[in-house]
Amino acid sequence: MGTVVDDAASVEFHAFFERHYAELSRLALLLTGEADAADDLAADALLALWHRWDRVRAADHPVAYARGVVANLARTRIRSAVRERRRVALFWSHREETTGNPDVAAVVDVQGALARLPFRKRACVVLRHAFDLSEKDTALALGISVGTVKSQTSKGMAELQRLLGDSQGVPQRVHAAMAPRTGESGGRKR
C-alpha cells in the first residue's frame, strides 16, 4: 500500500495524463508524420515523465518539459528511421510509397512539405502554428533560445511557402492542416 504522498503524486500524474495525452500525441504525429507511432511516442514520453514525476511536477512548466520529451523522442525515431531506410535501400529496390490516409489534398501537401523540413524548423513551425505556442513556450519545449525559435520559424515558413508554391495563406493552410482531427482534444483552450 502506497503512502499519502505516493497516492497524491499518482492522482496528480493521472490528471496531467488525461489533460495532455491527446495534445502530446498530436505533437508526435505532426513531428514524425506517422499516425501509428504518435500514440506510442506520447505514451513513452508520459512514462518517462512518470519516472521523474517529482522533478517534473516541481518544474515551472511541466507541459513544456513534456513537449520537449516528445520532441526528443520524435527526433530519435526520425533518425532511426532514416538509418533503417538507408540500410533497406542497400538490399531492396526503392518502391514508391503510397498513402492510405484519406486526408484532403491540401493536408497531404502540407504534411509532405513539413516532412521535407529539417527537424528543428519543422518543430518550430508545428509548435508555433499548430499548437499556437508563444515563442517563449516553443523555446522552453525545444530547449533552444527565443531568437532561434524566431529564426527557425521564419525560415521554416519561407521554405514551406516555396515548397507549397503559394506565397499567400501558407500560415492558415499550415494551421488548418495541423488542426486536431474530429473528436480529438488537447492543446490550449480558447
Side-chain angles (χ1 to χ4, degrees):
M1 184 166 167
T3 66
V4 174
V5 174
D6 291 339
D7 291 340
S10 179
V11 167
E12 187 179 346
F13 177 79
H14 188 311
F16 182 88
F17 180 97
E18 291 296 322
R19 264 191 325 271
H20 300 290
Y21 177 78
E23 171 192 353
L24 296 173
S25 180
R26 188 166 65 106
L27 174 60
L29 170 63
L30 293 170
L31 291 176
T32 64
E34 299 177 29
D36 296 340
D39 288 334
D40 290 342
L41 287 174
D44 289 347
L46 286 161
L47 179 62
L49 293 175
W50 171 245
H51 288 299
R52 297 180 200 85
W53 187 243
D54 288 339
R55 282 189 288 161
V56 173
R57 72 191 227 198
D60 290 337
H61 304 284
V63 176
Y65 186 87
R67 289 178 184 135
V69 172
V70 170
N72 286 333
L73 289 173
R75 179 184 303 118
T76 299
R77 182 173 181 84
I78 290 166
R79 287 178 178 165
S80 176
V82 167
R83 283 192 302 272
E84 183 63 24
R85 284 186 197 121
R86 287 180 183 151
R87 280 188 226 118
V88 169
L90 292 174
F91 299 104
W92 300 94
S93 64
H94 181 60
R95 297 189 324 211
E96 188 173 318
E97 293 182 23
T98 59
T99 180
N101 194 349
D103 289 344
V104 295
V107 173
V108 172
D109 290 346
V110 171
Q111 289 176 343
L114 277 171
R116 294 177 62 188
L117 293 179
F119 182 81
R120 186 176 284 177
K121 287 180 188 173
R122 181 181 337 145
C124 287
V125 168
V126 166
L127 289 171
R128 292 282 292 129
H129 291 284
F131 285 84
D132 291 326
L133 293 185
S134 68
E135 291 164 342
K136 180 180 176 185
D137 289 341
T138 301
L140 279 170
L142 297 176
I144 59 179
S145 71
V146 171
T148 301
V149 169
K150 289 178 182 181
S151 170
Q152 293 296 295
T153 302
S154 175
K155 289 175 183 176
M157 290 305 293
E159 200 164 329
L160 282 177
Q161 287 176 340
R162 184 184 59 74
L163 291 169
L164 295 170
D166 177 22
S167 62
Q168 304 277 332
V170 169
Q172 291 81 15
R173 287 177 64 191
V174 170
H175 193 280
M178 293 189 243
R181 289 171 272 163
T182 306
E184 269 191 19
S185 62
R188 291 190 318 191
K189 292 187 170 119
R190 295 176 197 237

